[in-house]
Amino acid sequence: MAKTYVVGNFKGGVGKTKTVTMLAYESAVKKRRKTLVIDLDPQGNATSVLGRTGGLSAVTKNVTDGFITGNLQNQITKVIPCLDIIGASTSFRTLPKLLMSKFPDDEDQQMLYLKTLLEPLKDQYDSIYLDVPPTISDFSDNAMMAADYCIIVLQTQELSLDGAKTYISYMQYLANNYNSDLDVLGIIPCMLRPGGRVDEDVLRAARDLYGNNVLQTVVKYQERLKAYDAEGIHINKTSLGYEDSWDIRAHKVFENVLDELDENQKKLDKYREGELNE
Ligand SMILES: Nc1ncnc2c1ncn2[C@@H]1O[C@H](COP(=O)(O)OP(=O)(O)O)[C@@H](O)[C@H]1O
Ligand SMILES: [Mg+2]
């Protein structure tokens, strides 16, 4: 039975899509988990990156048609073994209109539509990652309602901390009022410039505010991670058959992130069980 993760921050360009695509890749390739990425951002960045990763000329099936027909199953595209995507295109910008016409005057139904659509897919997967645009909108509401856990991406800049704070308090509001099971699984510090004063200050402020929720692993800026946007995610082999050391480095950091998130999930699940038994 799949667990669903939404990666968020109400700020753009902080590394959300990078995190979704890399975590999904490590989940599929290193952990051999059956993994699905659902791109809920009309910009379709995760769709392009994973399309290239699978050597696909285009990802034509898309989430918009899944929302229109009420069937996501038909919109799944295979990327590599263990990794599938439901892609997005600009047509998905019409989501608010679509929800209004499907469920006029029923805000709850509008917010819960993705959750409903995901149910029949859960048997096929271990992990489902949701990539969302950086707005408080029908897109993020649907993703948060459908998710079991939130993963927050924190770029070590003042405004990203604000974006993360807003995201966490909004998530708590939704959790209190609608989806009480939603919890923060971890806060990932991203693209820290070592020695940068603001970066170090923001990281410290985040650790003061959120304690152990902030992961020990810091995702630093790496050219190789950037290059995967255009090249697709890969691990090249040298002529002697060794894995390229820059690829190893790029992947290792997200393997560490995934390990830490797994640990947090175990602790959280234990805690939830304890609460249930009380
Ligand atoms: N650790 C990193 N090292 C290098 N480039 C990165 C890193 N994280 C993200 N990027 C780049 O920064 C840009 C914004 O990242 P992205 O994941 O698309 O942000 P978001 O989804 O939050 O808008 C992209 O071009 C991406 O390749
Ligand atoms: Mg993005």
Side-chain angles (χ1 to χ4, degrees), residues 114-126:
L114 176 61
K115 190 181 173 77
T116 314
L117 293 180
L118 269 186
E119 248 359 276
L121 301 186
K122 288 199 166 173
D123 284 345
Q124 303 161 47
Y125 293 101
D126 301 310

Side-chain angles (χ1 to χ4, degrees), residues 151-163:
I151 297 166
I152 313 281
V153 167
L154 175 80
Q155 196 178 8
T156 44
Q157 288 178 352
E158 212 71 67
L159 282 176
S160 171
L161 182 57
D162 290 345

Side-chain angles (χ1 to χ4, degrees), residues 11-19 45 191 219-223 225-226 229:
K11 185 172 183 297
V14 296
K16 291 184 296 297
T17 299
K18 183 63 65 192
T19 301
N45 294 338
M191 284 203 276
V219 180
K220 294 188 183 143
Y221 184 90
Q222 291 186 40
E223 279 300 333
L225 282 170
K226 179 101 189 159
D229 287 355

